[in-house]
Amino acid sequence: MNNSLLEQINKEKLPNHVAIIMDGNGRWAKKNGKERTFGHKSALGSVRSSIESCRKLGIKYLTLYAFSSENWNRPRLEVNVLMTLLSSAIKDEINDLHENGIRLNVIGDFSKLPSKAQKDLTKAMELTKHNEGCVLTLALSYGSKEELLYAIKTIAKQYKNGEISDDDFNEELVHKNLYTHDLPMVDLMIRTSGETRISNFLLWQIAYAELYFTDVLWPDFNEEEFYKSILNYQNRERRFGKISEQLTS
Ligand code: IPE
Ligand code: IPE
Ligand code: MG
């Protein structure tokens, strides 16, 4: 089944950067008569499938929204479980990631994470930093408004210190000061679980992204679902403000 969908994908028309809002773990657990945290534990399989799909297709950038700046407001127990799962997942997966040439990257307010998670992530990023395969970016304690505010403050300081002048103000300057300065703009943004909102994720970076919403809950999002989203993306016409005729000529 996976293979037939995989074969339908046009390798010449792949998105360069896919971002995913991995949503619906809690509802998935409830549906299965379990605690919310069971849903978070079951999420790892879908993370693996998405990475594997990108690897098979040759998609270079995959960015996963794993924990938002707003998620700190959840019950303490759930936050603690998520942070523990993060550390154990990094430890369990890092060798596989490394062997597959994946480079790990993190965006968000790193300083808010527990020191154990910071250490595990730093080690994993260090180990994989020279890898040239897929760039896997985890958004952790990430908020897009926070990121933009940080960029604005940095730019204001540079301006005040005379490091930049009026002529330097352009899109490139903003891009350079985002957490995602070394990533391209997002081509395809996927959100699972039927919610159709952005929840403070990559607001600048999705300016011209194609948005794909599916009712599938994150723990059920497998390779097949990933390929469906790519096929859906390939059926869109990305006009960037032009008209169809201009694109075909
Ligand atoms: C997404 O699943 C995971 C995180 C936000 C950490 P949820 O935990 O939001 O699951 P639902 O949306 O409550 O079902
Ligand atoms: C968004 O999911 C954040 C992540 C997937 C990490 P939420 O479940 O926190 O989003 P809202 O609160 O329903 O918008
Ligand atoms: Mg949710």
Side-chain angles (χ1 to χ4, degrees):
M1 180 84 100
N2 283 346
N3 280 344
S4 76
L5 280 176
L6 186 58
E7 278 155 20
Q8 289 171 47
I9 293 175
N10 178 355
K11 298 276 172 59
E12 308 296 312
K13 246 183 102 179
L14 288 169
N16 187 30
H17 186 178
V18 176
I20 311 182
I21 302 176
M22 310 185 288
D23 197 15
N25 298 350
R27 279 164 283 168
W28 184 89
K30 202 171 168 194
K31 217 178 75 179
N32 288 286
K34 299 272 178 31
E35 297 284 319
R36 290 180 58 81
T37 49
F38 181 72
H40 298 314
K41 287 181 190 137
S42 307
L44 189 60
S46 304
V47 171
R48 275 195 213 111
S49 301
S50 302
I51 298 169
E52 183 57 12
S53 307
C54 285
R55 214 178 56 78
K56 281 188 188 159
L57 288 169
I59 292 174
K60 178 80 186 174
Y61 298 93
L62 175 67
T63 301
L64 302 176
Y65 203 8
F67 193 88
S68 73
S69 47
E70 288 76 19
N71 287 148
W72 291 114
N73 298 321
R74 291 192 176 193
R76 171 107 68 100
L77 180 68
E78 181 166 340
V79 171
N80 289 346
V81 169
L82 282 165
M83 292 302 144
T84 310
L85 278 174
L86 170 65
S87 281
S88 61
I90 294 297
K91 277 209 172 121
D92 292 347
E93 302 299 321
I94 193 59
N95 288 332
D96 265 8
L97 293 177
H98 189 44
E99 274 165 28
N100 285 314
I102 290 158
R103 176 154 69 82
L104 184 73
N105 182 34
V106 174
I107 54 172
D109 188 348
F110 202 69
S111 69
K112 283 207 181 119
L113 299 175
S115 59
K116 168 119 183 45
Q118 288 188 32
K119 262 190 226 141
D120 294 334
L121 287 163
T122 306
K123 221 168 125 188
M125 285 189 284
E126 186 59 29
L127 176 73
T128 61
K129 71 178 179 194
H130 297 302
N131 288 348
E132 288 180 351
C134 177
V135 178
L136 171 66
T137 301
L138 298 180
L140 293 165
S141 188
Y142 174 88
S144 188
K145 286 192 291 177
E146 234 174 60
E147 178 187 33
L148 286 166
L149 195 61
Y150 170 80
I152 291 165
K153 282 186 187 165
T154 313
I155 293 168
K157 243 185 251 160
Q158 291 166 354
Y159 187 68
K160 198 171 151 213
N161 296 341
E163 292 160 39
I164 53 172
S165 65
D166 292 12
D167 295 340
D168 294 313
F169 279 77
N170 52 33
E171 289 185 15
E172 187 55 34
L173 180 68
V174 177
H175 186 90
K176 268 200 321 218
N177 286 286
L178 295 173
Y179 301 149
T180 55
H181 55 86
D182 50 359
L183 304 180
M185 293 289 273
V186 174
D187 298 299
L188 170 64
M189 175 171 285
I190 299 170
R191 183 172 190 150
T192 57
S193 89
E195 307 296 350
T196 46
R197 55 177 171 267
I198 303 300
S199 302
N200 202 12
F201 193 38
L202 304 175
L203 299 176
W204 172 279
Q205 298 86 339
I206 59 164
Y208 245 116
E210 296 298 328
L211 307 180
Y212 177 83
F213 298 104
T214 169
D215 286 338
V216 173
L217 301 171
W218 178 250
D220 288 331
F221 193 84
N222 51 21
E223 279 189 46
E224 193 178 342
E225 294 299 331
F226 190 93
Y227 299 145
K228 277 191 211 163
S229 77
I230 302 297
L231 285 168
N232 183 292
Y233 167 87
Q234 294 192 327
N235 280 323
R236 314 234 186 138
E237 184 175 60
R238 301 188 79 193
R239 288 190 289 277
F240 296 99
K242 296 181 180 172
I243 64 169
S244 284
E245 288 73 6
Q246 287 175 292
L247 302 175
T248 44
S249 67

